[in-house]
Amino acid sequence: MKLTDDSFALFLLCSHLGLPEPDAKPLSAREWNQLELKLAEHSFNVVELPGSSAERIKSVLQIGGDEAARLAGLLDRGGVMDQELERLEELGIWIVTRFDEDYPTRFTERLKSAAPVMLYGAGSARLLNHRGLAVVGSRNIDPRGFALTEFIGNACAESKLTVYSGGARGVDKTAMGAALAAGGTAAGLLADSLEKGIRAADARTAIEEGQLVLATPYSPHASFNVGMAMARNKLIYALSDFALVIASDAEKGGTWAGAEEGLKTGIVPVFVVEGPDAPDGNRLLIKRGAIPFPASFEDSPSSLGDWLEEHTPAKEPVAVQGSLF
């Protein structure tokens, strides 16, 4: 794959791939934001950094020796990173950075400086800019929750909404699978190995047919950890037009944390399934301002998008600041 010069420089600085030594650390989103400001302050373009010595970086940017050496070390791996790009391309994995046209505009609009510096993905990156519904919930759902999740996935396909989810077992995969089976589209924001995710036969078929995109801000062979999953939840909400919580524990777990943050920031309207059989977390989220969603949706599946619009309070989205990392 061919990255532009500025995207390649950003890739060198912020990617975990091909690190020169085990203890070397790429720049976090926050560190990149700080460096970008410093580059602008000194009228220096990021494309001028690769090939620069530590002494030159120290002099031009007026930074400490250790920091300059770190930047020089990250930048001095162009050959290795070219090989990594070739390997990823053979796997069908692309990279977009904040500098690229295919980078999701809602990340920069809604997350501002907290937007991921880059994404690794497979499938059509354009799906990440589609109108859609974030469908989230427990990894373990009862038969009622499973049936409703399948219905929602199908209804998203019928109403031309992309399903945004996390690609985990349970609600995530059920909603995405139902949407794909009904001829719709889905986007999975992964918290662990993209390389593993694209090896699944059903995922590969949907990717090839243009129905599915899988993406992650983390290394494409990263192992799962809770912190990354929690940070990933913000991305799911940020890409969507609406969010629907199928089932949540009360005051614990990733589904709860993501929904609570969504309510606090107001990035998107948060709907939560109500009803006598709804989990305690669902009832508590509704008390805290979430919009009730019927456990039995009586309208036509194709009207889901219109229903969500009609039940969304008139309120402008609020941009959220902070770091994902």
Side-chain angles (χ1 to χ4, degrees), residues 207 248 311:
I207 287 170
S248 174
H311 289 79

Side-chain angles (χ1 to χ4, degrees), residues 3 7 18 22 34 63 81 101 116 122 134 142 146 159 170 185 194 206 219 248 278 295 305 308 310 318-319:
L3 294 178
S7 285
Q34 294 169 346
I63 57 178
M81 296 303 258
E101 289 184 3
D142 61 22
F146 180 83
S159 55
T185 55
L194 174 64
S219 172
S248 174
L308 293 168
E310 292 168 4
V318 178

Side-chain angles (χ1 to χ4, degrees), residues 283-311:
R283 289 192 285 272
L284 189 53
L285 287 170
I286 291 171
K287 286 182 179 179
R288 295 190 178 183
I291 308 164
F293 187 90
S296 297
F297 190 79
E298 301 297 338
D299 295 4
S300 166
S302 62
S303 69
L304 177 61
D306 293 336
W307 189 96
L308 293 168
E309 289 278 8
E310 292 168 4
H311 289 79

Side-chain angles (χ1 to χ4, degrees), residues 106 110 134 236-243 262-263 265-271 312 317-318:
R106 284 184 170 174
R110 293 177 168 180
I236 297 171
Y237 279 75
L239 286 177
S240 64
D241 293 82
F242 318 94
L263 289 172
T265 61
I267 290 179
V268 292
V270 180
F271 292 82
T312 296
V318 178

